[in-house]
Amino acid sequence: MNELSPKNKHSFQVLRTDRDYGENWPSNKHQQTQRHSYLVRMQLFQWYNQHSITSIDNQDNSVANSMKKSDKKTENLLIKALKNSCETAQDNIEGFQWLTHFVSFSNFPKSLLIVCIFDTNENRAKMTASNKQLYLHSIIEEKLSAVGIHLKDIQAHLKLDTEEDCSIENNGKWNERFKTIKD
């Protein structure tokens, strides 16, 4: 695949997936989940490119090249904070898989939308029924604040979704699902 070549390879840096595994992905369950997330992110990247939407890791695509320097710096800080948030959530919240974000820098930070993805509806329901939802909010808010991004109401900037719902409702096509989530 051309889009996986080292020169053109992109990922949503919020996940710990090693982009250089190629065909040699280890077989344990955690790493299989990471491989699935990597493949989903590649599908999302292709969709972002088709629709000229700012993605999480877009330093090399045409949208990034047209961004103002200050927006690129903000995007890099946002990526750093969300990557740290994702790693913490993966380690501490059952069923948490990955996250992504959408933003319009002309209306930042008000336009920031962070979508947190869980594996199943059951795990999402468990998390929302417990104090883990507040914990997830605090993780993201803390990591964003650490890089100088402050949100008045973190809950207004977060949406929760599941891989299960995407499989059922959108046949696993995240690009279609994100069109509805953002609206």
Side-chain angles (χ1 to χ4, degrees):
M1 292 179 146
N2 279 345
E3 58 267 359
L4 294 180
S5 68
K7 198 171 198 178
N8 299 322
K9 194 181 329 177
H10 301 280
S11 76
F12 296 103
Q13 294 178 349
V14 294
L15 295 177
R16 293 182 287 176
T17 305
D18 182 349
R19 297 182 293 182
D20 297 318
Y21 276 129
E23 296 299 316
N24 301 316
W25 287 82
S27 60
N28 73 42
K29 184 179 178 186
H30 177 70
Q31 289 169 332
Q32 286 175 349
T33 300
Q34 287 183 328
R35 180 170 193 260
H36 171 75
S37 297
Y38 172 77
L39 297 174
V40 167
R41 289 192 326 274
M42 288 306 302
Q43 180 184 18
L44 288 173
F45 175 76
Q46 291 167 352
W47 179 77
Y48 286 138
N49 276 342
Q50 289 170 354
H51 294 87
S52 298
I53 295 175
T54 304
S55 66
I56 284 186
D57 182 19
N58 61 6
Q59 288 88 0
D60 297 326
N61 70 26
S62 60
V63 174
N65 293 333
S66 65
M67 291 172 65
K68 294 188 295 187
K69 190 173 184 177
S70 62
D71 291 346
K72 286 182 184 182
K73 286 182 181 182
T74 302
E75 178 76 353
N76 288 336
L77 291 173
L78 193 53
I79 290 167
K80 179 181 177 182
L82 292 178
K83 178 181 179 185
N84 291 335
S85 299
C86 184
E87 290 173 352
T88 302
Q90 284 176 328
D91 292 341
N92 297 298
I93 299 174
E94 182 182 353
F96 181 89
Q97 297 298 305
W98 54 283
L99 58 80
T100 189
H101 78 274
F102 302 92
V103 65
S104 170
F105 286 102
S106 62
N107 191 20
F108 183 80
K110 207 176 206 181
S111 66
L112 178 61
L113 174 63
I114 302 165
V115 183
C116 298
I117 310 298
F118 288 81
D119 55 356
T120 64
N121 292 330
E122 180 182 353
N123 281 332
R124 178 181 58 186
K126 282 183 198 174
M127 192 272 310
T128 56
S130 69
N131 64 349
K132 290 287 187 175
Q133 185 167 4
L134 294 175
Y135 178 64
L136 178 61
H137 293 178
S138 69
I139 291 170
I140 294 171
E141 192 167 33
E142 175 187 318
K143 302 297 183 184
L144 289 172
S145 292
V147 296
I149 299 171
H150 304 284
L151 303 173
K152 288 183 181 179
D153 179 15
I154 187 72
Q155 191 169 351
H157 295 273
L158 291 179
K159 289 200 177 194
L160 305 177
D161 202 358
T162 65
E163 291 178 341
E164 180 180 354
D165 278 347
C166 182
S167 293
I168 293 168
E169 297 170 12
N170 300 93
N171 295 319
K173 296 179 181 173
W174 283 102
N175 55 346
E176 291 176 11
R177 187 153 190 88
F178 285 143
K179 285 179 191 176
T180 59
I181 287 177
K182 291 179 7 184
D183 298 334

